Amino acid sequence: MTRVRGAAPVRRRLTAAVLAVLVAPLALLVTGAPDGHRPVLAAQVADTPTESAMTKHGRPGKYQDFSALQVTVSQTKSLVNQAITVTWKGGEPTEPVRYFGKNFLQVMQCWGPDPDAPDFRETCLWGASGANPTELFTGPDALHRRVRASFQASGGVREVDPAEAALPEGVRLPDGAEYPPFRSAQGDRQTWGTSPFGEPAWVPPIENYFDRNTTNELPFGRTARDGTGRATFELQTTTEERDLGCGDPIQQTDGSTKGRPCWLVVVPRGGYDWNGEPLDGNAQGGRVVDGSPLSATFFADRIVFPLEFEPVGSFCAENSELRQTVGSHLMEDAAASWYGALCAGSSRPPLVLNPMGDVEASQQLRTEVFGAPVGLAYVTDPVVRTEYDPPIVHAPVALGAAVITFQIEGRVPQTAPDVDQELANVQVRDLKLTPRLVAKLLTQSYSREIVQGAVGDRVTYPSLRQDPEFLDLNPVFARFETNFHPSGILVTDGNSALAHQVWQWVLSDQEAVSWLAGAKDPSGMTVNPNFLPVFAGGTAPANFPKADPNCFDIDGPVIPDGPDDGDEPDDGTAPERCATHISPYVDTLRKAASQTLRGQSGAQNWVINGDCPPGQKDCWKSDPPQPVGQRFMLSITDAASAARYALPTAQLRNRAGEFVGPTQASLLAQVQNAAEPSAVEGVTQNNPHKPVTGGYPLAMLTYAAVNLGLPKDQRTDYARLLRHAATTGQVPGVQLGQLPPGYVPLPQPLRDRTLAAATEVENYTAPTPSPTDTESPPPPPPAANPKPPTPGAPPAPSATASPSPSAVPPTPVAQTTLTLGQPVGWIRFLILVVLGLGLASIVAGPAMWLRGYRRSPSNSSAPPRT
Amino acid sequence: MLDRTSWSRRPGAGWRRRAGAGLLALAAVAVTALWVAPATAAAPAPSGRNYVAVSGSGSTWSENALNAWRAAVRQQGMTINYSGGGSTVGRNNFREGTVDYAVSEIPYGLEGDGSTRKYAYMPIVAGGTSFMYNLKIGGKRVTNLRLSGEVITKIFTGAIKQWDDAAIKADNPGLALPSRKIIPVVRSDGSGTTAQFVIWMNSQHPGIWRPYCTALRNEQQCNVLSNFPTKPGAGFVGQSQSNGVSSYVAQPYAEGAITYVEYSYALKNQFPVAKVLNSAGYYIEPRATSVAVALTKAEIDRVDLTQKLGGVYSNSDKRSYPLSSYSYMIIPIALESGLTLDKGYTLAKFAYYFLCTGQQSADSLGYSPLPKNLVEAGLLQVERIPGAVHEDIKIENCKNPTFSPDGTNLLVRNAKDPEPCDQRGPTQCVTGTGGARQNTATSGNSQNSTGGGNTGTGATNQNNTPGTAQPTTGAPAAVDPDTGEVIGGGDGGGEQFVAGVPVSLDGEGGWQLRHTMMVLAALLLIALVVGPPLIFRRAGSTSAGDIRGNR
């Protein structure tokens, strides 16, 4: 039975209509030197070979011998939805330097039971990348499933792979057919039919199964001149791609459960076509790689790695109760791992996490929600309770970090010398940033991040690429094209402890502080003046403001102005485009990382007569992803999200003046040496002003704040979570229950505290008479607006509560007496005049009395008072 | 390498699908070494059906809730996929058969689309359309703004342009509203939030909405629109996505801006939302309980199963928030477009979870739990999904926070009444709203409810600024007790507070002339009171006696 996937020609699983073109392939992250592995926390996961790493050699092919090619996959067992790396050596260098004419690798994931079966290729997820190969001077069919191609860079007559005819019945394509069908793990197989244009033996587009939004195929793995290469590949489980079904739980006869295994398939594309004729790889009218890697000739050269997946889903009994936890987005990965392990095989109510900012989380912990009680909040800043609140105990549970992550693939001028051509399309792995550079990125101070003409007379640069301060630190960028720009830096909306910590670090640097106050940097660049008020109070914001208000009429003259004088779509004119359209926010840290990986800035452009929703002629559309191999993306996210996508992270200059990346050592150094007491006993906070040698300034220690006012059975469940978090939950690994990549195991003293807290949570007994006099929980903190005693640290961490960045007091109260705009004039001196007269009277009165007294002295005295 | 022999004996998943009924599947267990099934810790489903992956797309409004529920049921072995690409995309995908379910705020047909694929609507999660705003008086953020429906409609149709408009003042007798331009911020992309707002305006204030809208769109379109119509030069700002409109309002330059957005975005940005006047005469915040109370009057159209919210908008319960609504799941009710019994079974189990247990998370996630009437209507729809098992879907076992198993309406019992100061009239509560819980002092004879807040959750930060949180006495804003209109000095003073002429009285530091004068004045006053007797006594205490004696 063929599953009918509907009449629509194109299956759009994701946001296709609105946010059109996103290329998902985790393509082309190549470097010529695979040994440059500094232990960066995020990239560490994928880079470090695991016990189950596997290396295989290429095959002696029909026309080309790939035996020298040696491909290593970093992990092949206990897999989940994760990034792995594929590295290789002994390959022929990709040519030409800028493009993909010949000699590169294509990587894909397949599910078929037998990798040697002739119909195995039908089970491979390939052909939906949507990338435009001609931009890279590759044959147009090299990215499709089509087995008919010309091998001409300039087009030409297409012929079918001659080896196709030798395939067995049932696998061999019918006469006239060009596309091998896809067969899904659910069992349906595409059938040949007649195309809408009457072509026989036509297979519906592969987008009926997967599309550019969801595919993980990697069309271009570049081999450097030394024969090495490196690529990151996102493994998808059945959750991400059910048509592959990898990790589908399969119950074994012994009652245990395994995940459905799958395969990683690497197809080397060499220097020959399927007739054995050589390719020259010449982009200008030469012969280049073409035709699907699934075609019989090329697929025969495949290198296959078995992938053993963990069973997807951790299975818990149905339960009508649940235990709510709320808080930090930094905990999402850890919670997913821990909660699944805790409820598996248990009859206790499952835990759920509702991610939200610290302030809202602490609010929910202390007050009643309508529904299941919130018993635990993950916070960076401690929950400060008031006397009305239930007692709360804090326990450290996870050490993570805010990171600046990036996806930068060198784009060098065509005219550059060979030594620079070596950098073409090569992923940049090292980036150094100072607080001032980050301040520049976060204040819309580079001209490309705001509307044209809004810069005024201010000295600035289009982007980092041309900023001398950046180039001094990162000289390799000077060899890239001068118009190779990032599209700003992706940041999340709303208030968060993460944003606050980033700003605290920036504002701990005198250079950055004075620059934010309007001073010039050494090259004369100044801050976007719209941000001057934001930092006037010296307080670290708890969000990433985009304070530049300038917009311009898209179809009008380019005159930047305010946003609200606009034209509108429906009268035939375009609306206004503002800085927020150029660099929009992302909703979550996870999305920030995935968009960075895929080169999606999310920038909104107004399209006229475009592919718009029904009833609209023109509409806003997101920019297409940046071309593979030429991406330049930056974002602020957490280490766990960066690790999830194997993204590199920037080294940041700490207070000790060193550039430090997020490693296990640097996070521990920071949290152990820069910690200082907070308003709540037993809870420490990061002091951004303290120089810590080797410390990563954005280390973030997350606490679980547990409400002790709950009934015993609920507290028992939270205590169980704390115990898990302090034990198995600190064992690094991707298995259910372990500490996922991107976190650093807590030092033992902190784990001991969490274990002690667990006991306290479980055994707490409410003091009967006085709610404020408790013995076991930490004493209630001093009432409101606590500021930890931080000499020399102006922005106290608890200022996260500040709703407006510029407001120093956390709770501005609107003044409701009428605020007069003009002075009241002379009348304000009235009272002074009256009082002056009074003074005169004071002096004059007794003086006159005295005079009178002297003239007629009395002979009697006042009667004594009793 | 893997054991390929066992692989080859594994029946294909498609085979399993074809089997459909349980018998064949059980036979498969007997003859094969392996079988694909969810390894739930619970007993196997009585029907022999299995969990399989189910995919859906649609509303971004509901995405947070769906994501939380998907994560929760994944622990039970259910794989539910969802991508929030917007209601319109979801409806299209469902019609095209590329997804198994969709989520939408508006039904088919309203925007001229339809579906030949058979479907039913089921309530999924409720919430209030909230109005997040950025307004300051004298440099202090206002957190207790109140608006009537008419005023809201006029703001979003450009009829009211200034914050000190008499109608807004009438809603806010305790606030000295600035003469600042209102910046209405609307969604520039197609959105269910827009549709819900437009449906409400069209239903409740057609006299304001329709003249405005029909000048821009046709009569039919003005009943419901997912793209907000705006006039050139009217001062409206368009932004994409909920995070676009909310973060715009939150920017420092956006003072005077107001937008309609999900409540959770106000929380995320720590910004207040307007309390909206209900038909009982109370200004209510869109909190979980007030939305749930309002929705007890929601009806489901018996013919096309769409929502009828007329009773919600005009709910006379004084706790209800008028702009309350809910989003639908569009569920398949026929075995077509790739739906299998296993998929239907999984989807039905998921639906049962979120109609019942999952609603316990609604408040925490920034939504409102569905009340009993909607849950009952929803459960009837769940049973129509092919593959749904009746035994699994029972209201008695439904652990929804709005009612107890014996049918008691917990909402009626637990939802708190609004404070008297929230009633329309001369008083105005000072407590904050949304993500800005700090108080806003009011002038005149406002009542204060600093204790626990009228919502029971307002304890944050209240003690941080005790001095300023008190009602300011001596303000010259007199209030007409009949109209709530600020009269006398209020008007005159307000006129002087013009946008663009910010007056900073509280931010200035340092010792200034006026401080000197104040100290001087105080000293003089003391001298006036204390001075004469002292001098008198010292200079000649006997003279008083003389005087008395002489008289």
Side-chain angles (χ1 to χ4, degrees), chain A residues 1 3-8 11-15 17-18 111 113-114 116 185-188 239 242 249-253 257 260-261 306 308 312-316 318-322 324 326 339-340 343 350-352 354 356 359-360 363-364 366-372 493-495 534 545-549 563-564 566 568 570-571 580-581 585-587 604 616 620 784-785 801 803-804 811-821 829 832 835 838-839 842 846 849-850 858 860-862, chain B residues 1-2 4 7 10 13-14 17-18 33-37 39-40 51 53 55 57 72 74-77 79 81 83-85 89 93 96-98 100 137 140-141 174-176 181 188 217 227 230 232-233 235 237-240 243 247-248 251-253 265 267-270 289 337-338 343 349 353 357 360-361 363-365 369 399 401-402 411 437-443 457 460-461 463-465 468 472 475-476 489-490 496-497 503 506 517 521 524-525 527-528 535 539 541-542 546-547:
Chain A
M1 185 177 82
R3 177 162 45 158
V4 181
R5 288 290 200 125
R11 175 185 181 205
R12 288 177 179 169
R13 184 181 285 179
L14 278 186
T15 66
V18 185
W111 68 268
D114 178 4
D116 296 326
Q186 266 72 31
D188 17 300
T239 310
R242 62 180 161 156
I250 298 175
Q251 194 158 337
Q252 312 293 302
T253 41
T257 303
R260 180 208 294 266
E308 289 183 24
V312 164
S314 58
F315 303 127
C316 310
E318 288 173 36
N319 198 314
S320 63
E321 305 254 329
L322 41 85
Q324 290 208 107
V326 297
Y339 294 2
C343 77
L351 292 147
V352 295
N354 304 332
M356 62 188 70
V359 174
E360 176 62 12
Q363 170 87 357
Q364 289 198 9
R366 293 179 298 122
T367 55
E368 206 178 320
V369 297
F370 190 59
D493 67 319
N495 289 16
V534 175
K546 291 184 188 287
D548 189 297
D564 49 356
E568 274 306 319
D570 291 300
D571 57 5
T580 44
H581 291 106
Y585 288 102
V586 286
D587 274 321
Q604 301 271 307
Q616 276 184 288
W620 289 105
N785 196 16
S804 101
T811 55
V813 173
Q815 176 172 336
T816 51
T817 48
L818 288 170
T819 311
L820 297 181
F829 297 110
L832 207 66
L835 289 166
L839 180 68
I842 291 172
W849 262 104
L850 285 173
S858 169
S860 65
S861 53
Chain B
M1 291 295 283
L2 290 169
R4 273 171 39 207
W7 262 112
R10 189 190 61 85
R17 173 177 299 143
R18 277 195 303 278
L34 298 170
W35 61 298
V36 181
T40 50
Y51 290 151
S55 295
S57 79
R74 185 166 163 162
Q75 295 183 356
Q76 297 173 18
T79 304
N81 297 319
S83 59
V89 174
N93 286 351
E96 292 161 2
T98 57
D100 303 309
I137 297 177
K140 302 286 192 186
R141 182 164 311 293
L175 294 181
K181 195 158 72 168
S188 63
R217 305 282 171 90
N227 285 284
T230 48
V237 170
Q239 292 287 322
S240 286
N243 70 23
S247 56
Y248 184 91
Q251 298 301 340
Y253 57 72
Y265 283 86
L267 300 179
K268 192 175 182 182
N269 284 285
Q270 290 172 246
T289 45
S337 300
K343 277 191 177 182
K349 291 289 275 186
Y353 175 83
T357 309
Q360 294 178 50
S361 300
D363 185 10
S364 172
L365 289 163
K399 186 101 181 187
T402 66
L411 259 183
R437 293 264 143 213
Q438 68 273 19
N439 289 350
T440 299
T442 57
S443 54
T457 56
T460 339
N461 299 338
N463 299 321
N464 287 2
T465 49
T468 44
T472 313
Q496 290 187 15
F497 191 74
V503 179
D506 32 34
M517 290 166 83
L524 284 170
L525 197 62
L528 261 181
I535 297 168
S541 47
T542 53
D546 286 341
I547 296 165

Side-chain angles (χ1 to χ4, degrees), chain A residues 105-176:
Chain A
L105 303 193
Q106 297 186 317
V107 188
M108 66 193 85
Q109 193 174 339
C110 309
W111 68 268
D114 178 4
D116 296 326
D119 63 351
F120 178 68
R121 65 175 180 175
E122 294 182 3
T123 69
C124 294
L125 198 167
W126 182 263
S129 74
N132 184 354
T134 52
E135 278 177 7
L136 297 166
F137 294 93
T138 305
D141 290 309
L143 269 53
H144 298 162
R145 299 176 78 84
R146 197 180 205 178
V147 298
R148 191 164 169 229
S150 73
F151 298 93
Q152 304 289 331
S154 51
V157 180
R158 291 198 175 98
E159 287 172 0
V160 173
D161 181 358
E164 289 286 321
L167 292 171
E169 186 70 34
V171 180
R172 194 166 63 230
L173 306 187
D175 283 350

Side-chain angles (χ1 to χ4, degrees), chain A residues 549 551 561-567 576, chain B residues 181-184 233-237 248:
Chain A
C551 305
D561 53 20
D564 49 356
D565 61 338
D567 293 332
E576 303 217 325
Chain B
K181 195 158 72 168
I182 299 176
I183 308 170
F236 283 50
V237 170
Y248 184 91

